[in-house]
Amino acid sequence: MVLKTEGVSKYFGDLRAVDNVDLEIEEGEIYGIAGPNGAGKTTLFDVISGLWPPSSGKVIFKNDIISGLKPYQICHKGIARTFQISTVFATLTVLDNIKIGAVFGAKTKKLDSSHINEIIEFLGIQNKKDTIAQNLELYTIKLVMLAAALATDCKLLLLDEPMAGLTIAEIDNFLQIIRKMNKEWGITIVIIEHLIDTLIDISDRIIILDGGKVIYKGLPEELTKDKKVIEVYLGKGEE
Amino acid sequence: MLNKIGWKKMAIWLSLLVIVLYPVFFHSNSYIMHIFILFFCWAVLASSWNLLFGYAGIWSLAQVGVFVIGAYSSGMMAKFTGISPLICIPLAAILTALIVTLFVGLPSLRLKGIYICVFSLMFADALPSVLTQTRKWTGGGRGFHDIPPLWNNISRVHYYYVGFAIFLISLFIIYKIVNSSTGKAFIALRDSRDFALSLGINEYKERLKVFALSSFFAGLAGAFYGHYLGHISPSSLGISPFLLAIAMMEMGGLGRFPGAVIGAVVLVFGSELLRLTGMSRLTILGAAVVLIMLFMPKGLMQIVDIIDNIKLRKNAIIK
């Protein structure tokens, strides 16, 4: 088991954004998370990556309790993430964006340029290396965000709606990238995604969150038959 | 040939040459030299502020206060202990960095954006009262006088070259910082804090670093300024030096190197030239600031970008 959460909750005042969530993510799997807007998916990522400490409960990464650590410490343990709202360092070049991940994300603080080149080639952004990030289009911004996260040499990667706003062709490419990272680089992936077919297609296991609670946990194939999931998330559809 | 060296490098080397040779040819004109020395101080102050405000995006408004702390600490150290000012100046800069990091940097770790403005302004605004309360040592409202000169029988040419050395070293180090991974971390935290944190940047460490570095250089410039003028008073903490420094930084280009230096050139020398116009000096200066802000919101460094773009296009056509 690579990541485990035990009764993790996050309250904002009276709002239970994440409510008593237990997860067990195995090494090497692709773990899907879905749920209606406001279900607490992103907040769960924020808690795991340390931006918000949990109000209660524990997050355990490779037998170490990481809840309560600072984001940079959690990053150094080997957890990286991307953001739903595509954020890069707008005034830096693509290469500098990735270097930030490589220099600060790894504990050693040594710049391994062969590793960076490997990532750049893997994602196919060689010819954008010297572009200032604010001049990029959405798909490349997402790739740069991913590249910087990969440069930290992560073991676990949290992807927050990476495919929102992409075209069908771009989604196909992105799925290939996710599979490759998972299979060839051995990175465990947790992915939030609204496109439920895509999520079923790519995930080994799926959970559905609603109102901060886990309402479904299991295999993707059985998801569409689950009554509660149909009720709160998928909808009955026309019969 | 010209294309190979690059016009920017040419411009920088040419300006440095002019500064180095100026006293050799015009050593009788000590007034212009005085303006140059003030320019060195202002340029370092504005550049150090730009490091904090422009690059790191920490909106501290206390930088002129930091400059004055540098002047007082070096002046008092030299006057009361008799140590050579040449040793006092770097010591005072370190002391200033310590004081400011402790009293402004540490508390503002918990603050963001505009709240840092309010907090740092309070710090700067409290300094005159502190000086009045400690008038026994600092001279209070009348100022601190008889600060020892750098060495006995020093001439203005000497001050000119020492000031130039401080200017060169400070700007060189600031240039190295903004192009290092530390500088990139400052920019990363400014551009997108959450992303920077998730990539392993230790926010507290970097923010304390930028406070320490920027106040070191402001303190250094202030310390030299105090020894040069021989006195320093709370009037330096007034609104006009504050506005002048902020205008230099904004006019030159926030978060750009060497934006603040260009801003200092325009404001220090421009304001001297405008003395010829008499009463309307401040009106013209104010209008210039407003016009530049309106038409070049990214400051005078935008001119550099425009020239670069034209060159790029020309090269593209030739190819």
Side-chain angles (χ1 to χ4, degrees):
Chain A
M1 199 173 322
V2 61
L3 185 85
K4 192 175 170 188
T5 67
E6 286 180 7
V8 162
S9 301
K10 177 67 199 173
Y11 312 138
F12 296 102
D14 285 338
L15 177 77
R16 293 170 169 241
V18 175
D19 195 0
N20 207 11
V21 169
D22 295 312
L23 293 181
E24 287 177 3
I25 296 167
E26 301 293 337
E27 189 146 10
E29 76 176 331
I30 298 180
Y31 200 89
I33 299 178
N37 290 326
K41 308 179 293 287
T42 299
T43 310
L44 182 63
F45 271 16
D46 289 346
V47 169
I48 295 172
S49 60
L51 289 180
W52 297 108
S55 306
S56 64
K58 274 189 282 190
V59 182
I60 298 158
F61 180 66
K62 291 184 170 172
N63 302 323
D64 291 333
I65 296 176
I66 59 162
S67 38
L69 293 184
K70 296 261 177 241
Y72 76 92
Q73 292 168 317
I74 291 176
C75 171
H76 289 170
K77 295 246 177 215
I79 300 180
R81 69 171 290 183
T82 65
F83 290 81
Q84 184 179 5
I85 300 159
S86 299
T87 45
V88 283
F89 307 123
T91 56
L92 294 178
T93 63
V94 167
L95 188 63
D96 279 340
N97 266 275
I98 302 170
K99 271 187 186 167
I100 292 276
V103 174
F104 291 92
K107 257 184 179 168
T108 49
K109 282 214 169 181
K110 256 196 177 170
L111 195 62
D112 181 1
S113 42
S114 69
H115 185 48
I116 292 181
N117 284 333
E118 197 183 354
I119 292 167
I120 288 176
E121 262 168 49
F122 170 62
L123 297 175
I125 45 177
Q126 298 95 321
N127 51 0
K128 301 270 169 66
K129 252 190 342 197
D130 300 316
T131 313
I132 306 284
Q134 62 194 356
N135 302 328
L136 296 170
E137 87 290 5
L138 183 69
Y139 184 57
T140 318
I141 287 178
K142 284 179 188 262
L143 291 181
V144 172
M145 190 159 57
L146 185 63
L150 284 175
T152 65
D153 225 354
C154 56
K155 303 287 171 288
L156 175 72
L157 183 57
L158 313 172
L159 300 172
D160 194 351
E161 283 196 43
M163 286 168 279
L166 297 184
T167 66
I168 293 171
E170 286 165 347
I171 289 176
D172 275 345
N173 279 335
F174 210 95
L175 286 175
Q176 276 179 21
I177 288 169
I178 293 175
R179 287 206 175 92
K180 254 191 182 169
M181 289 191 298
N182 181 246
K183 292 268 143 40
E184 289 174 22
W185 296 21
I187 297 171
T188 310
I189 287 166
V190 185
I191 176 171
I192 295 175
E193 188 50 65
H194 267 304
L195 303 167
I196 202 75
D197 292 334
T198 314
L199 195 67
I200 289 173
D201 183 32
I202 197 163
S203 307
D204 297 316
R205 286 193 297 160
I206 286 183
I207 63 163
I208 306 288
L209 289 178
D210 181 42
K213 287 194 176 75
V214 178
I215 59 163
Y216 176 86
K217 196 192 277 184
L219 296 174
E221 293 80 33
E222 288 152 24
L223 174 73
T224 47
K225 291 167 205 144
D226 190 272
K227 272 189 187 151
K228 200 158 182 205
V229 173
I230 291 170
E231 190 189 319
V232 302
Y233 188 50
L234 298 176
K236 284 200 179 97
E238 288 169 41
E239 306 210 347
Chain B
M1 179 69 188
L2 213 144
N3 260 340
K4 256 185 191 164
I5 304 173
W7 67 276
K8 279 181 238 171
K9 269 190 184 164
M10 285 280 278
I12 289 170
W13 284 113
L14 221 66
S15 337
L16 291 182
L17 200 69
V18 169
I19 296 177
V20 171
L21 293 180
Y22 183 81
V24 178
F25 293 108
F26 301 93
H27 55 91
S28 56
N29 192 342
S30 63
Y31 176 68
I32 303 280
M33 253 188 258
H34 170 68
I35 306 299
F36 263 106
I37 295 169
L38 293 184
F39 158 73
F40 296 144
C41 295
W42 280 108
V44 173
L45 169 62
S47 299
S48 75
W49 203 350
N50 195 21
L51 188 63
L52 183 65
F53 197 109
Y55 279 95
I58 297 171
W59 296 343
S60 167
L61 299 178
Q63 206 69 1
V64 177
V66 178
F67 179 85
V68 172
I69 291 175
Y72 269 97
S73 15
S74 184
M76 288 165 74
M77 219 186 288
K79 192 175 169 183
F80 295 144
T81 65
I83 301 172
S84 157
L86 288 175
I87 298 167
C88 291
I89 290 176
L91 281 182
I94 293 169
L95 184 70
T96 310
L98 273 175
I99 293 173
V100 176
T101 312
L102 212 64
F103 289 101
V104 189
L106 264 183
S108 71
L109 285 180
R110 294 180 166 274
L111 304 175
K112 262 188 209 170
I114 196 163
Y115 297 100
I116 293 180
C117 297
V118 176
F119 173 70
S120 56
L121 207 55
M122 272 165 54
F123 173 81
D125 223 31
L127 290 176
S129 321
V130 172
L131 291 172
T132 321
Q133 293 303 317
T134 55
R135 67 172 72 80
K136 227 175 169 181
W137 304 285
T138 60
R142 276 178 301 152
F144 187 66
H145 295 275
D146 304 320
I147 299 175
L150 289 188
W151 55 79
N152 288 331
N153 304 321
I154 185 169
S155 71
R156 186 155 281 172
V157 182
H158 293 146
Y159 270 117
Y160 181 93
Y161 282 112
V162 174
F164 182 47
I166 288 176
F167 167 84
L168 263 190
I169 295 167
S170 304
L171 266 291
F172 178 74
I173 298 175
I174 289 175
Y175 173 77
K176 283 285 171 200
I177 292 169
V178 298
N179 285 301
S180 71
S181 54
T182 302
K184 299 275 157 63
F186 298 160
I187 297 171
L189 282 166
R190 176 197 72 189
D191 278 2
S192 175
R193 177 178 169 270
D194 285 353
F195 191 39
L197 295 184
S198 78
L199 291 178
I201 294 179
N202 184 345
E203 187 186 24
Y204 284 5
K205 197 171 116 191
E206 300 305 327
R207 277 176 75 167
L208 289 181
K209 244 196 243 174
V210 74
F211 263 107
L213 288 168
S214 74
S215 43
F216 175 84
F217 291 113
L220 191 70
F224 171 76
Y225 179 84
H227 287 288
Y228 170 60
L229 289 185
H231 58 87
I232 181 87
S233 76
S235 68
S236 304
L237 293 163
I239 189 82
S240 57
F242 172 79
L243 288 179
L244 207 58
I246 224 172
M248 286 174 191
M249 182 170 69
E250 295 263 4
M251 252 173 99
L254 270 184
R256 293 288 302 268
F257 191 90
V261 178
I262 293 175
V265 169
V266 173
L267 280 171
V268 173
F269 293 100
S271 119
E272 285 310 315
L273 283 176
L274 285 173
R275 272 185 206 282
L276 303 172
T277 64
M279 286 295 282
S280 46
R281 180 172 77 107
L282 289 177
T283 320
I284 297 175
L285 215 56
V289 172
V290 171
L291 285 177
I292 288 176
M293 285 292 100
L294 270 178
F295 295 106
M296 278 186 252
K298 286 178 188 161
L300 290 168
M301 286 300 282
Q302 239 174 307
I303 298 176
V304 176
D305 294 343
I306 292 167
I307 298 175
D308 271 347
N309 271 335
I310 293 170
K311 290 215 154 199
L312 260 178
R313 257 181 237 155
K314 259 191 189 165
N315 284 346
I317 291 167
I318 291 167
K319 272 175 192 169

